Amino acid sequence: MFQDRRLLLATLIILLFMIGACTNIASLLMSGGAASNALMATLDPAATATATPFGPIEATVTPPPPPTATATPLATPTSVEPWGNFPAPVEPSAIEIRRPLTPLNVPQGTVNIMILGSDQRPYEYGHRTDTMMLLSLDPTNGKATLLSFPRDLYVFIPGWRMDRINTADPNGGPERVAQTLLYNFGLEVHHWVRVNFWDFIQAVDTLGGIDVKIDKGLSDECGGIQWRYGEGTYHMDGFTALCYVRMRHVTGDFDRMRRQQEVVLGIFNRVLSLDGLARAPELYTQFQSMVETDMQLNDILGLIPLAARLSTDLSQISRLEIGVTMGELWRVPYSGASVIQPKWEAIETLLHEHFEASE
């Protein structure tokens, strides 16, 4: 039984990371090859679902466009060298580089795991991490926190330059991602996991599907199917879950971050169910080849008590994001790229309230 519990938690951690891989379904649907065959799976009409998407309908009202980008200031040299012990930039910056945030005083024993969803295709080099999520585990207080980062957030990447946060990994690997998180947000990254997206459907299907509690309605198209969801719980197979977290024709990245977190919780609940426990050895064997990570089995074993506590009280899992009110659109002068310039006061308030230890 103890061995089963070890494999269960290893599988739990791996599956939590799988959601970060859902970054580019459209490209896979058009690319062909072995991966696209998996993506063309169809829904099971005989499945017993808690609720099912409606058939083809007219799309809901398109949400208003995002705010107009602010005026583009001219590039100015950095007047001071604020980066302290971090690697200095090797390229000029279009805006002032802010000083690093003082490391947060997190509860003792906290484990922060960075989830990186890579859009790398088979037989191709290079990638971006269009999904970035920090899973912060607090065994002392029996809590867990999921924090999502917008891919276009414009931050200082130590040892390189100011750029979108999703360029840190392809230009320096997980170590540079960790430096970026520590510099800009005062959060130390203890472990990292990077996954591609083509195994996500198979992972969810291996679990027998997942039940996803949806907080906000959605009507959008994916894979040639028009989907519509209201508030409630829906049973999803792998293809459905991938579409749900990927769709953004009538929404944007901020809404997609919420949906990713909803699916993460659906996976969590499914793995902790009796079916998930019974299939833990099979899942562990299958998924360990799908994930790049610096985590060892011993790192996972220490999280067993926390997983047990969270399974009995899901209210102790907080879902956070650097949301639409915490940044503004801005255009980089020399490249013309549209990015999100952080509103640091609002972001720091979020970090202090949810990550620092109580006095």
Side-chain angles (χ1 to χ4, degrees):
M1 177 61 71
F2 179 67
Q3 179 69 11
D4 283 346
R5 292 177 65 199
R6 292 194 304 176
L7 292 172
L8 167 65
L9 191 66
T11 304
L12 164 63
I13 297 297
I14 290 171
L15 285 173
L16 284 174
F17 304 149
M18 293 300 298
I19 190 61
C22 307
T23 57
N24 202 329
I25 184 174
S27 296
L28 277 183
L29 289 172
M30 297 172 61
S31 63
S36 63
N37 290 335
L39 282 169
M40 294 309 294
T42 57
L43 303 180
D44 181 2
T48 56
T50 54
T52 56
F54 295 93
I57 59 162
E58 295 182 0
T60 54
V61 178
T62 302
T68 303
T70 55
T72 301
L74 297 176
T76 55
T78 301
S79 59
V80 293
E81 294 185 357
W83 37 86
N85 295 326
F86 290 85
V90 296
E91 296 186 16
S93 171
I95 60 174
E96 189 87 7
I97 298 176
R98 70 191 298 267
R99 294 182 181 277
L101 186 65
T102 301
L104 300 181
N105 179 29
V106 300
Q108 185 175 4
T110 294
V111 179
N112 292 330
I113 305 170
M114 195 65 200
I115 303 166
L116 304 171
S118 167
D119 65 355
Q120 186 177 23
R121 283 97 168 142
Y123 314 111
E124 291 185 6
Y125 293 98
H127 68 277
R128 295 174 301 178
T129 46
D130 282 353
T131 298
M132 301 182 70
M133 187 184 301
L134 184 75
L135 173 62
S136 184
L137 304 173
D138 177 6
T140 300
N141 297 302
K143 297 181 179 180
T145 302
L146 286 168
L147 175 62
S148 294
F149 299 87
R151 61 178 185 170
D152 293 333
L153 200 65
Y154 198 62
V155 298
F156 175 53
I157 301 175
W160 191 33
R161 67 185 187 194
M162 293 286 299
D163 212 313
R164 291 185 176 99
I165 194 171
N166 74 333
T167 63
D169 184 42
N171 289 281
E175 294 78 11
R176 180 157 283 172
V177 173
Q179 289 182 335
T180 300
L181 266 288
L182 184 58
Y183 186 100
N184 294 279
F185 307 100
L187 290 166
E188 182 179 359
V189 175
H190 303 103
H191 295 290
W192 60 271
V193 173
R194 186 198 293 127
V195 290
N196 293 312
F197 46 68
W198 49 82
D199 289 314
F200 175 72
I201 288 178
Q202 184 179 2
V204 174
D205 286 343
T206 300
L207 286 173
I210 57 176
D211 292 330
V212 179
K213 184 178 182 297
I214 294 176
D215 296 332
K216 184 179 179 181
L218 173 70
S219 178
D220 207 341
E221 183 275 335
C222 174
I225 301 173
Q226 187 73 33
W227 306 91
R228 183 177 183 180
Y229 298 95
E231 294 183 14
T233 300
Y234 294 77
H235 186 80
M236 299 183 182
D237 64 4
F239 177 76
T240 307
L242 182 62
C243 276
Y244 180 67
V245 298
R246 180 67 187 113
M247 290 183 291
R248 56 177 180 175
H249 291 99
V250 299
T251 60
D253 286 337
F254 292 107
D255 188 75
R256 189 173 65 165
M257 290 190 298
R258 172 186 59 81
R259 287 182 267 127
Q260 289 169 349
Q261 293 185 356
E262 289 171 350
V263 173
V264 164
L265 294 182
I267 292 173
F268 183 93
N269 290 332
R270 183 58 174 166
V271 174
L272 288 179
S273 70
L274 291 177
D275 288 343
L277 177 59
R279 303 179 69 181
E282 170 196 346
L283 296 172
Y284 180 74
T285 300
Q286 179 176 353
F287 295 143
Q288 66 181 158
S289 64
M290 301 179 185
V291 179
E292 295 178 83
T293 181
D294 67 341
M295 295 187 74
Q296 304 297 320
L297 184 57
N298 286 338
D299 299 319
I300 299 173
L301 295 182
L303 303 176
I304 288 177
L306 176 59
R309 293 176 67 179
L310 293 174
S311 68
T312 61
D313 187 3
L314 296 180
S315 68
Q316 298 304 304
I317 302 177
S318 299
R319 292 164 45 193
L320 307 174
E321 62 181 30
I322 297 179
V324 66
T325 63
M326 299 181 185
E328 60 183 355
L329 294 179
W330 185 70
R331 199 166 295 280
V332 181
Y334 60 85
S335 67
S338 180
V339 300
I340 299 173
Q341 194 164 165
K343 294 182 178 179
W344 287 110
E345 183 177 353
I347 293 174
E348 290 183 25
T349 297
L350 174 77
L351 295 172
H352 290 301
E353 287 181 354
H354 292 277
F355 286 93
E356 288 205 300
S358 302
E359 296 295 337

